């Protein structure tokens, strides 16, 4: 699926705590900036960083804005973001739009001091929670779930909460009110809390900042970390000279300070339900060099291609892909089928964002602007073209036409994920059921409409078998949300 017709991720989170006292040698704001740049694929609409010197409880340094990370931050902004701990956020808006007040992290004054919060996900019961908050006389200034979370965290937990009115109690209260979907980084005083919802729907991991001269292969304990980071994905680590410490468990609350990390609580899922990491993190959202559940996303995508070849091989001359997200799947397909891999499209990396076009002529122009046919590789040949998913089907037809007009004999589409049938209520911007092409046309009808010679999707079983080699930190098998494919949501939906 290339970006003309894609699902949209909801956000990237990053946090950093330096191990020394203020003033620290570590440039925390720059580290957070580099972390957000590496997480840019998770949201390009807004970005923000909040830093603190820890001991000064009355003031945070804040900069947020509209645009991608390098547009929002200049050297001057980063110089003014002084502190030895901080959190950052890069946003794609599912709720609340791109007005400046929706930029995160949110910062509020509470009875207990300043609080900064950054959120990835969408609360399945946001509407009911919003009503409860309003009924309690608390006003909300944005439509975003993240502000809702911030307000709930500011409130006292109910009597009887075993952890009383401290931050653990407040976070547990939030987690009792809403089970999914969120990963959070929360900053208060000189502490950052990293929280993953009980279903683990969004990823979150912890890294150690390596001192100069220490290499990635060093084991934990062989060196004193310069600091600790929390990130939505591990792909960040090389760019900030850090190594993965571990992934945060579903339902876990981790406290990060200059003294190190400590797991301070876990909230379990009701009725022994399995975890539900979004399976589209593997299919599309996460960067291929990230590690999820102990496995590299690239290898899972390759395995999806291998499964697809087992399910839907076809005698063709070459296997190829729409650059670049489905390339590992195309390589896996090629390995199993024995059909050679060859590139058929050259991507123009400088066209910027291309919006979904309203008619076939404009779509054809948008595709031609973005891709040049490498016709010497495929003239007169039968191509198997692998893509990672189809949402509305608005652009793949234009690509097939481009290939055929440039000399392809046949174009057979293979999709390295199952058809999308249901909307997502956990933070991914999937269109309504009516807009999803798989609800209108079956695979054969869609192939005909698109001008493809055939079209086959990967089965749900094939996708699950490709991802299920992952395990959590405690060695237990993981579980995945497949709701947009199967209609089986991890929790009952409240309206
Ligand atoms: S419904 Fe689909 S996109 Fe949404 S969390 Fe579940 S698997 Fe991910």
């Amino acid at each position: 699926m290339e970006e003309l017709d894609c699902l949209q991720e909801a956000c990237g989170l990053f946090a950093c705590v330096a191990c020394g006292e203020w003033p620290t040698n570590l440039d925390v704001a720059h580290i957070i900036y580099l972390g957000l740049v590496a997480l840019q694929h998770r949201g390009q609409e807004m970005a923000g960083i909040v830093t603190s010197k820890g001991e000064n409880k009355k003031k945070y340094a804040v900069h947020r804005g509209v645009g991608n990370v390098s547009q929002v931050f200049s050297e001057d902004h980063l110089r003014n973001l002084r502190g030895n701990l901080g959190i950052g956020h890069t946003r794609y808006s599912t709720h609340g739009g791109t007005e400046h007040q929706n930029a995160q992290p949110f910062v509020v004054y509470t009875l207990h001091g300043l609080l900064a919060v950054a959120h990835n996900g969408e609360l399945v019961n946001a509407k009911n929670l919003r009503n409860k908050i309003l009924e309690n006389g608390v006003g909300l200034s944005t439509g975003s779930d993240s502000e809702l979370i911030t307000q709930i965290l500011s409130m006292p937990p109910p009597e009887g909460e075993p952890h009383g009115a401290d931050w653990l109690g407040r976070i547990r209260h939030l987690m009792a009110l809403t089970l999914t979907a969120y990963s959070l980084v929360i900053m208060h005083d000189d502490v950052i809390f990293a929280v993953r919802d009980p279903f683990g729907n969004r990823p979150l991991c912890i890294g150690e900042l390596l001192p100069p001269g220490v290499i990635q292969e060093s084991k934990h304990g062989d060196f004193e970390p310069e600091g600790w980071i929390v990130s939505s994905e591990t792909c960040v680590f090389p760019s900030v000279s850090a190594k993965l410490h571990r992934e945060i468990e579903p339902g876990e609350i981790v406290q990060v300070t200059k003294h190190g990390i400590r797991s301070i609580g876990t909230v379990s899922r009701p009725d022994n339900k399995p975890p539900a990491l979004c399976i589209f993190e593997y299919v599309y959202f996460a960067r291929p060099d990230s590690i999820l559940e102990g496995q590299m996303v690239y290898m899972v995508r390759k395995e999806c291609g291998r499964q697809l070849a087992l399910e839907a091989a076809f005698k063709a001359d070459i296997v190829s892909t729409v650059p670049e997200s489905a390339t590992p799947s195309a390589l896996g397909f090629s390995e199993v089928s024995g059909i050679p891999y060859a590139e058929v499209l050259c991507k123009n990396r400088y066209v910027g964002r291309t919006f979904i076009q309203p008619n076939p002529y404009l779509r054809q122009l948008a595709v031609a602007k973005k891709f040049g046919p490498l016709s010497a590789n495929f003239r007169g040949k039968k191509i198997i073209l692998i893509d990672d998913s189809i949402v509305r089907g608005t652009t793949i037809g234009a690509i097939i036409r481009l290939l055929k007009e440039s000399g392809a004999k046949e174009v057979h589409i293979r999709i390295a994920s199952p058809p999308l049938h249901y909307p997502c209520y956990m933070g991914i911007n999937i269109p309504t059921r009516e807009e999803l092409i798989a609800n209108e046309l079956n695979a054969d009808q869609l192939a005909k409409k698109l001008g493809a010679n055939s079209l086959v999707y990967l089965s749900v079983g094939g996708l699950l078998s490709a991802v299920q080699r992952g395990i959590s930190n405690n060695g237990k098998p993981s579980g995945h949300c497949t709701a947009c494919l199967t209609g089986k949501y991890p929790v009952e939906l409240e309206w």
Side-chain angles (χ1 to χ4, degrees), residues 7 201-202 277-281 285 420 422-428 430 481-485 489-490:
L7 303 180
N201 187 265
R202 299 285 127 204
L277 172 67
C278 169
I279 208 159
F280 268 83
E281 291 286 349
F285 300 132
L420 283 157
Y422 302 90
C424 176
Y425 301 103
M426 274 78 71
I428 304 304
I430 292 181
C481 176
T482 57
C484 50
L485 311 172
Y489 291 87

Side-chain angles (χ1 to χ4, degrees), residues 174-418:
L174 168 76
M175 294 171 87
L177 287 177
T178 181
L179 291 169
T180 195
Y182 48 91
S183 282
L184 300 169
V185 286
I186 301 164
M187 182 167 71
H188 175 72
D189 286 355
D190 52 0
V191 181
I192 284 172
F193 300 98
V195 182
R196 214 170 149 206
D197 81 44
F199 287 88
N201 187 265
R202 299 285 127 204
L204 201 62
C205 57
I206 303 170
E208 301 168 76
L209 288 170
L210 302 170
V214 175
I215 55 167
Q216 289 276 341
E217 280 68 35
S218 311
K219 288 199 191 86
H220 175 63
D222 286 354
F223 61 92
E224 287 296 320
E226 294 274 285
W228 293 88
I229 57 172
V230 179
S231 173
S232 292
E233 288 184 42
T234 67
C235 61
V236 167
F237 294 164
S239 58
V240 296
S241 188
K243 73 186 291 273
L244 174 65
H245 181 70
R246 69 175 174 89
E247 295 171 58
I248 295 176
E249 288 297 311
E252 188 181 6
I253 306 163
V254 176
Q255 177 182 285
V256 190
T257 68
K258 62 188 173 193
H259 304 298
I261 60 159
R262 194 156 69 91
S263 182
I264 57 168
T266 308
V267 171
S268 44
R269 293 174 294 282
D271 310 323
N272 271 330
K273 289 190 178 202
L277 172 67
C278 169
I279 208 159
F280 268 83
E281 291 286 349
Y282 284 113
V283 172
Y284 181 70
F285 300 132
R287 242 173 62 170
D289 52 339
S290 281
I291 307 280
L292 291 175
E293 302 173 307
Q295 54 190 349
M296 188 167 268
V297 171
Y298 182 96
M299 299 313 287
V300 174
R301 288 187 189 157
K302 201 167 177 191
E303 192 56 35
C304 288
R306 295 170 67 89
Q307 287 289 338
L308 189 57
L310 292 174
E311 293 180 12
F314 174 83
K315 208 167 172 315
D317 299 305
I318 55 169
V319 177
S320 195
T321 183
V322 183
E324 297 155 331
S325 57
T327 304
S329 301
L331 291 168
F333 193 103
S334 167
E335 256 179 39
V336 167
S337 65
I339 302 167
Y341 174 83
E343 291 183 59
V344 294
L345 293 167
C346 174
K347 186 173 177 179
N348 180 349
R349 291 167 213 286
Y350 304 102
V351 288
R353 190 167 171 188
T354 309
F355 295 94
I356 292 168
Q357 300 296 340
N359 67 53
Y361 175 70
L362 289 175
R363 282 200 284 278
Q364 195 66 45
L365 287 185
V367 163
K369 185 174 76 167
K370 194 149 186 142
F371 299 107
L374 295 164
S375 46
N377 267 352
F378 64 78
R379 194 170 291 119
K381 292 184 176 168
K382 291 182 187 176
I383 305 170
I384 293 182
L385 190 72
I386 312 284
D387 208 351
D388 47 24
S389 53
I390 292 187
V391 183
R392 296 179 178 85
T394 45
T395 54
I396 188 79
I399 289 169
I400 294 165
R401 194 168 149 197
L402 181 70
L403 293 174
K404 287 199 166 175
E405 284 177 355
S406 307
K409 189 173 169 195
E410 293 178 12
V411 179
H412 298 263
I413 302 294
R414 296 292 180 269
I415 305 296
S417 66

